Structures are given as structure tokens and as C-alpha cells.
Amino acid sequence: MKDATESLNFIEHIIEEDLANGFPKEKLCFRFPPEPNGYLHIGHAASICLNFGLGEKYGAPVNLRFDDTNPAKEEQEYVDAIKRDISWLGFKWANECYSSDYFQQLYEWAVLLIQQGKAYVDQQSSEQIAEQKGTPTSPGTPSPFRDRPIAESLDLFERMKNGEFAPGTYLLRAKIDMASPNMHMRDPILYRIIHAHHHRTGNKWNIYPMYDWAHGESDYLEQVSHSLCTLEFKAHRELYDWHLDQIVDSSKLRPKQREFARRNLSFTVMSKRKLLELVQKGVVSGWDDPRMPTISGLRRRGYTPESIRKFSELAGISKRDNVTDVSLLEYCVREDLNQTATRVMAVLNPIKVVIQNFPEDRIEHLHLENNPENEASGTHEVPFSRELYIEKEDFKEEADKNFFRLTIGHEVRLKSAYIIKAEAVVKDSSGTILEVHCSYDPDSRSGSGTEASQRKVKSTLHWVSVAHAIQAEVREYDRLFLDESPDTHETKTYMEFINPNSLKVNKTAYVEPFLSKAKPNESYQFQRLGYFTLDQDASSEKLIFNKTVGLKDTWAKQSAAKLSTQSTVQKTQTQGTQVGKSGLNEIQYLGKKLTNLSGEKLEAALHDIRNHAEQVTFEELEPLFSTASKKVGTRLAVLVAVGTLLSKGLTKNAAIQNFINSCATDESALLSEEAKKLL
């Protein structure tokens, strides 16, 4: 059996190593340190789940510390939203802290640095300072004020604090090393002047610490053991340690900074500055617009805390920056809602059906199963009458043999009701179909146990009784951006990739009367259509539903078609179809033997599979994604081959991601571990 620690992420390995080396488990402490200058997004969820997940795993406290060091951009609204989002995700923080809690201590330590000759007041412009920093390959030029007398720097710093100078006139800089190969060590700024009202300290302070100065010192004051940051702070780690060197007490715990990759998501942007611009320019309705990647936007769209936590688990913690396919996020919420959402019927694009042999004054109350995935979910009543709405797309007056829904002379079953046959249509003067006249089989009622009720027909349609239908507004969402990576283009801005059709509002949808009792943020599966949640702006007089996600990933099909075209081109440029086929046969052959191998023989077989994988294409491998779960060896061989194609530049689409996810949760440790390498 494999060592259990092999499934740990690299951050957990660091912690386990520290514990093995004697670090007291009771001194473990983590923190999540957001800046309250915007709403949290799905990228922040990765850090939230990491830090609070570690807290749960090790029984350690996790502080929520607001990095409120820039009052010009920070607001109480953002503080409240951040707390709301973390609580909604299901996490509890040990202490609610603020960098502003430590302003006095940070100021006193800064004064101490000046007194020790390790900091000085500079009065150059930011442009001059940037120019004098030098380049990574050439040393910087010392500021002409670097050797300012200590007493003079102390006096100027005190006057900066008292508000005697305008912003930009003076700065406090640490005196470190202008020739350091690490640019962050070349006399970094510690304090700048800002005349702005702070949401907690009011107008008490006129100088504010830079994040690098406040970061490590705040960790130290809170006795945080492991300070986990995203990769852009890796180059700051040396400065983090230098700052601590100046003030740390050897009798107290010294924090350790370690870095992990930022979570990036396809077809969106993850910068709070850019998300704010979308809000300010009216591209979206607000931070909680359901098209936004913010946690509040995802919540309003119908995403669940469980789905976001599962997404964070499957996407994993990485040492290298990468882009996660948004289809993985959609997969997670689809899987969660499939288990929890109540099934109901709604018609988005209605056409009327009249059942001519059904009595006009008759109303039947049928029972619709709430959730077939949960036997305890029960049923609810749905009224059935002579006149119904069905989807316009579910009827064709004349259809070919591949159309299995309602057409003249053919039968379909109505969900949880009867079998009907289309007999005729009623049209207006322009030829538009207004009604479809049908007949029904009275003995075919679902669940009645009659011979007719068990008769098989090729299609089952959802419906709503006209007399009982409630008109509702339904908002359907598409990707906010048309480009997979909208903010990585050199000649275009991300705004140029806005999808003009990202929101479709349908005000003439009809839903069954059961939904009159729906509450905001409750999720439902509209049968055959997807998952929807009641919007917060809805009322008893006006139902508004947001589409969370479809039942199937239509974007995956588009991606697969694109990849198929690419694969065909690649195939003709390599060794031809026959060689590719041979490679596929070899992969399948080796796969059948894998579960009987171990040690060097297993590694040799996997090596051969990787070699053969270079001769096959994605379109040849994809049909094997549906291999039965009991055929572990074949699935492992396919997974290894997919990994080889990904390493050669194949784009990870939703079909690939879903296959990897299914392997990652397999009972086979070998298959699961191999899949986790590709997450």
C-alpha cells in the first residue's frame, strides 16, 4: 500500500516535514489576508480553502486578517462582503484582525529602524526612485538622501505622520542593498503619505505602511506559523525575512512564508482592478452579477459552497501558474446540484398543446419525483389539464427519421403523465403554428401499472398546464468573454473580447405552480433544460430565475470539434493514420496487462505507453474515456497517454478534465494518483 503522505499537496508536505522536525503541532497557525478593495473571486476561494482547510486538517486556528493599508481604495462594504463570502463557504475564522490594529506598533518599529541607521526619509519622486533602482543585471544608484542624518529622518518622519506634507513629497525607505540581485531588496519603501479617511482609524494616520512591511510583521504579531502567499510574492520572501530579522524575538515563533500558484480560470479575468472596471463601466450590473467570477456572483447564479470547495480540491494546489478550464467549475456544480436540486417543469419557449379527447373541465393532480438521486426527497403535485405548454423546439409538423420528439402522427410521453399523439395544427394567417392538437391514451398514465403505461415511446417531454402556469423571467448566461484568456493579448485589451450575448433575458417563460413557493438562492433542475436558482430580486409577484449551468457541457463539444480539426492536421503532418492506429492498439494491449505488473516492469510498461502516445491523436483516445470503471488498466493507459499529449501542447478541454476527474476519484490508488498529477 502506498504511503498516505503521497497524496498530500506540497504545502502539506512542508507542514508535515516541519512537524517531523520537531515543530509543535499546537503552535500551527494560519491566516487568510485579503485586501478590502473589492469582492473576493474564485481565485481567492483557492486560498480560502487552502488556509481554512489546513486549519481543519490540523486543528489549528486560522485568522481572517484584512490588509487595510491603503484607505484610498478600501471600503467597509468590501470588508462585509468578504466576511459574508467566507462564512457562506462554510469556514469560521479564529480571530478577526486588521493590519490597522498594528499601525502603532509598525510605526514604532519603523522609528527603531531609523534610529539604527536602517531606514531613511527620501524626498525623490517615484519616477526618480524607479530610475535609480537599476536593472536585474546592473546595480542601482543610491539615493542622494540615503545618508541623511538620523535625527533629520526622525524629524521628517514624525512630521509626515502629523500630516505636514503633501502626498508624494516624502517616503520612508529601508536601507538594505542597492546592488542586491533581488530588486525588492534595493531600499524598498516602508511608508508613504496618504491623506484619506480610513474606514476604521478615521483620520488618525497620514502615513500608511507598504504591504511588504505590514505583511510579515502582522504575521509575527499574530504568531502565524505558515504564511501562504501566491507565487508573485516568492521574490518578496527575502524581504519578508529581512523585515522579521529586524524585530523578531528569538523566544517567539518566527513565521515562514511559502508560495503557491494563483488560481486562473479560462474565459474570465481575475484582477480585482479589472473586475471593478467591468462594474464601473456598466458591462455587468455589479460585483454580484452572475456572470462575474466573484464568490457573490457565483452564489447569486446558483453555485453552492460544496461545489466551490470541490472545485478547489480537484483543481489542486500547484507550484506553477496555470489556467483551469471553467468547465471543471461547471462540472462541480452540476454534480452537486444533481444530488440536491428538486426537479420541476418549466417551458422557456412555449407552444400550446390541446389534448382534444381530454375533458375540458377536468384537472388531474399528478406526482412528480423531487429528486431520483435521493429516495427520501419525496414528490410534489403538478396539475395536468386539457391545454398544456411544451417547448416549441419539441414539435415539428414534418420531421425526418432522426427527430424523435412530437410530430404529426407520432407519439411521445409527457413527463409523469400520459402518452400523446399529434393529430393536427392550428396556424395564423402568416402560417405560424399557434396550437398543436393531440389525442392521449387514457390508460397510459405513468406509474399506473397498466400495460399501456409500460409501452415504450422514443421521447419524453416536459410540460406545464396552461391554466396553472406562472409566468416567470428567466436569465440565461454565457461566457462573459469570447476569448479563453482575454487579458493576455499584447495588441488588444480584455474589454475587446466582451461577449455581447453573455446575457439572454426571457420574460415569457412558464413554470409549474410548485415554484410559487420558491425562495431566493434555492436551486431547481428544470427538467431537460438545466439548473436554475431564484434570483434575490424576485418577489411573489415576479419570479426571476438565473440559469446556473446546463445539464450537459455544450462548450466541451465545441472544444472537442476544434481539437479534432487540429488533430487531423497534426496527423497528416506526422506518420499517417496507420501508424497512429498501431500506437492506439499498443496502448490498449499494454493497458490490459498493467494491473498485473509492479515495480520496474510497471514503470517500463508506462514508459512504452508514453512512447506510443506520441503516435496517436486526441480524437483516437477520446472514445476510450468511456471505458468501464472496472477496466482499471485500460483507463490508466489512456490517462497516461492523455498526459503525454498534454505535455506536447494539447489543450485541456472539458472532456479531458472530466475524464481526469473521474480517474482521480477512482478506488484504484494507482489510477487516482496518476490522475492527480494532471489536475
Side-chain angles (χ1 to χ4, degrees):
M1 183 175 178
K2 286 182 174 287
D3 188 335
T5 60
E6 290 187 21
S7 63
L8 302 178
N9 63 53
F10 78 95
I11 294 292
E12 291 170 329
H13 275 294
I14 291 172
I15 296 170
E16 289 292 335
E17 183 177 350
D18 288 342
L19 294 175
N21 290 334
F23 186 89
K25 185 177 180 181
E26 64 272 14
K27 288 192 175 183
L28 286 175
C29 180
F30 308 97
R31 90 286 178 266
F32 174 62
E35 181 181 1
N37 63 346
Y39 282 56
L40 299 181
H41 53 61
I42 191 65
H44 295 109
S47 181
I48 293 171
C49 292
L50 172 61
N51 282 285
F52 284 94
L54 290 171
E56 292 178 350
K57 178 181 178 70
Y58 293 103
V62 184
N63 291 344
L64 170 59
R65 182 175 74 239
F66 291 96
D67 166 35
D68 55 345
T69 59
N70 187 357
K73 295 183 177 180
E74 297 156 4
E75 299 178 16
Q76 185 62 40
E77 173 193 352
Y78 299 139
V79 171
D80 296 338
I82 289 169
K83 292 165 61 176
R84 183 167 59 247
D85 288 344
I86 297 173
S87 295
W88 177 75
L89 283 173
F91 297 113
K92 295 182 179 180
W93 51 90
N95 301 289
E96 182 177 324
C97 309
Y98 296 80
S99 293
S100 55
D101 293 339
Y102 316 126
F103 279 177
Q104 183 61 40
Q105 178 63 80
L106 292 171
Y107 171 76
E108 291 174 7
W109 278 333
V111 170
L112 182 63
L113 290 183
I114 298 173
Q115 292 172 340
Q116 295 173 343
K118 296 178 180 178
Y120 62 95
V121 172
D122 200 343
Q123 59 193 75
Q124 296 181 102
S125 68
S126 57
E127 292 77 15
Q128 289 174 311
I129 292 174
E131 185 177 347
Q132 292 172 351
K133 277 283 185 103
T135 70
T137 57
S138 62
T141 303
S143 165
F145 303 99
R146 196 172 196 262
D147 295 321
R148 187 192 295 272
I150 290 175
E152 188 177 332
S153 282
L154 287 171
D155 176 65
L156 288 171
F157 190 49
E158 176 72 15
R159 293 168 67 189
M160 287 167 60
K161 179 178 75 74
N162 294 338
E164 295 185 26
F165 305 120
T169 54
Y170 290 97
L171 296 163
L172 182 68
R173 297 176 67 181
K175 186 187 293 187
I176 307 179
D177 182 3
M178 291 301 292
S180 172
N182 185 340
M183 298 287 285
H184 297 289
M185 299 298 287
R186 297 183 183 181
D187 290 12
I189 298 171
L190 295 173
Y191 275 88
R192 75 282 203 206
I193 299 171
I194 299 178
H195 293 168
H197 182 83
H198 190 280
H199 67 97
R200 294 186 75 244
T201 62
N203 299 317
K204 178 180 178 180
W205 293 92
N206 295 290
I207 53 172
Y208 288 88
M210 299 297 290
Y211 179 75
D212 278 332
W213 173 239
H215 177 201
E217 317 311 85
S218 297
D219 287 341
Y220 173 67
L221 287 167
E222 295 172 20
Q223 289 292 274
V224 169
S225 61
H226 294 77
S227 180
L228 307 178
C229 308
T230 45
L231 278 180
E232 65 266 30
F233 290 101
K234 187 171 185 177
H236 296 243
R237 193 200 294 181
E238 185 179 1
L239 179 58
Y240 179 95
D241 288 333
W242 187 90
H243 284 156
L244 287 177
D245 287 342
Q246 313 314 310
I247 54 92
V248 72
D249 181 339
S250 59
S251 66
K252 293 185 178 180
L253 181 148
R254 181 190 176 106
K256 172 192 289 188
Q257 176 182 304
R258 291 297 181 264
E259 307 81 18
F260 62 95
R262 178 189 293 271
R263 176 68 40 73
N264 295 303
L265 198 65
S266 63
F267 294 99
T268 190
V269 295
M270 304 295 275
S271 158
K272 281 193 284 187
R273 177 184 61 80
K274 292 174 181 177
L275 294 176
L276 176 60
E277 187 177 9
L278 292 173
V279 174
Q280 292 175 332
K281 291 188 174 180
V283 176
V284 294
S285 60
W287 284 98
D288 65 347
D289 187 296
R291 292 166 292 179
M292 292 278 273
T294 55
I295 295 175
S296 58
L298 292 169
R299 178 169 63 245
R300 186 173 180 183
R301 185 160 174 170
Y303 278 76
T304 61
E306 294 77 13
S307 66
I308 294 177
R309 291 178 70 159
K310 185 65 175 179
F311 169 71
S312 294
E313 176 188 337
L314 292 179
I317 301 299
S318 173
K319 292 183 180 181
R320 295 183 297 274
D321 284 326
N322 56 76
V323 177
T324 303
D325 194 324
V326 68
S327 296
L328 177 59
L329 178 61
E330 294 170 344
Y331 163 82
C332 291
V333 72
R334 190 182 290 113
E335 288 294 297
D336 184 50
L337 292 179
N338 181 52
Q339 301 295 321
T340 59
T342 298
R343 275 53 168 170
V344 296
M345 291 193 287
V347 176
L348 304 188
N349 187 19
I351 186 172
K352 183 185 288 187
V353 165
V354 179
I355 305 175
Q356 293 179 299
N357 61 332
F358 194 92
E360 292 189 27
D361 58 350
R362 181 176 167 187
I363 304 296
E364 287 192 29
H365 292 282
L366 308 178
H367 289 87
L368 193 65
E369 190 174 17
N370 285 334
N371 191 324
E373 303 295 324
N374 180 5
E375 293 182 1
S377 64
T379 63
H380 68 270
E381 284 191 348
V382 56
F384 183 88
S385 63
R386 187 173 189 265
E387 295 186 349
L388 310 170
Y389 288 128
I390 66 169
E391 296 288 350
K392 195 170 288 184
E393 294 79 8
D394 283 341
F395 173 76
K396 283 186 178 180
E397 187 176 6
E398 297 180 3
D400 59 33
K401 62 180 180 179
N402 294 319
F403 185 80
F404 299 120
R405 286 166 280 177
L406 189 61
T407 187
I408 299 297
H410 290 82
E411 293 181 326
V412 298
R413 175 171 291 283
L414 297 176
K415 177 68 178 176
S416 300
Y418 297 94
I419 293 174
I420 62 171
K421 178 192 288 186
E423 309 285 359
V425 296
V426 176
K427 302 180 181 180
D428 63 14
S429 57
S430 66
T432 301
I433 297 175
L434 301 177
E435 297 178 353
V436 181
H437 286 191
C438 301
S439 60
Y440 88 115
D441 181 348
D443 295 328
S444 65
R445 178 171 170 174
S446 296
S448 62
T450 65
E451 183 178 346
S453 70
Q454 299 175 31
R455 188 154 52 88
K456 302 296 183 182
V457 292
K458 291 186 176 180
S459 187
T460 299
L461 308 184
H462 62 279
W463 52 273
V464 175
S465 169
V466 171
H468 305 87
I470 300 174
Q471 189 167 336
E473 179 178 311
V474 173
R475 300 169 181 172
E476 297 187 70
Y477 301 96
D478 205 339
R479 305 287 197 267
L480 185 56
F481 294 95
L482 295 171
D483 188 83
E484 186 173 10
S485 187
D487 56 352
T488 60
H489 297 264
E490 293 183 3
T491 59
K492 293 183 178 181
T493 71
Y494 69 99
M495 282 290 191
E496 296 179 66
F497 296 101
I498 295 291
N499 180 2
N501 301 310
S502 61
L503 171 61
K504 176 184 175 183
V505 179
N506 178 356
K507 296 187 177 183
T508 56
Y510 290 97
V511 300
E512 62 169 277
F514 177 75
L515 287 173
S516 64
K517 300 177 182 179
K519 298 177 181 178
N521 299 320
E522 282 186 343
S523 294
Y524 298 88
Q525 185 196 99
F526 287 6
Q527 301 248 17
R528 300 176 64 228
L529 299 174
Y531 295 97
F532 295 75
T533 189
L534 191 69
D535 188 74
Q536 62 192 29
D537 291 340
S539 65
S540 57
E541 291 75 30
K542 183 180 181 180
L543 297 181
I544 303 172
F545 289 94
N546 296 321
K547 185 173 183 178
T548 306
V549 68
L551 296 178
K552 296 181 179 180
D553 187 354
T554 56
W555 276 72
K557 294 181 179 179
Q558 297 177 27
S559 299
K562 181 179 178 182
L563 283 170
S564 178
T565 301
Q566 294 173 345
S567 298
T568 302
V569 173
Q570 292 170 357
K571 191 194 302 184
T572 59
Q573 292 175 344
T574 54
Q575 301 180 35
T577 304
Q578 192 60 42
V579 176
K581 184 65 176 176
S582 175
L584 186 65
N585 288 341
E586 289 295 328
I587 290 171
Q588 291 176 286
Y589 171 75
L590 290 167
K592 293 177 181 178
K593 304 194 305 179
L594 285 181
T595 53
N596 296 321
L597 302 177
S598 61
E600 293 182 358
K601 291 183 178 180
L602 175 61
E603 290 302 320
L606 294 175
H607 177 74
D608 289 342
I609 290 171
R610 294 185 182 97
N611 286 338
H612 289 301
E614 296 184 4
Q615 301 173 357
V616 302
T617 63
F618 169 79
E619 61 182 351
E620 291 169 331
L621 279 177
E622 187 182 23
L624 297 178
F625 286 6
S626 57
T627 299
S629 58
K630 64 181 180 180
K631 297 183 179 180
V632 175
T634 300
R635 285 166 61 81
L636 177 58
V638 174
L639 184 69
V640 171
V642 167
T644 299
L645 294 185
L646 290 172
S647 70
K648 298 296 182 181
L650 177 67
T651 303
K652 185 186 289 184
N653 69 343
I656 294 172
Q657 188 66 67
N658 290 344
F659 176 63
I660 294 172
N661 293 341
S662 68
C663 293
T665 56
D666 195 273
E667 293 181 355
S668 166
L670 184 60
L671 181 59
S672 175
E673 290 300 318
E674 195 67 28
K676 289 176 181 178
K677 297 176 184 178
L678 302 180
L679 288 175

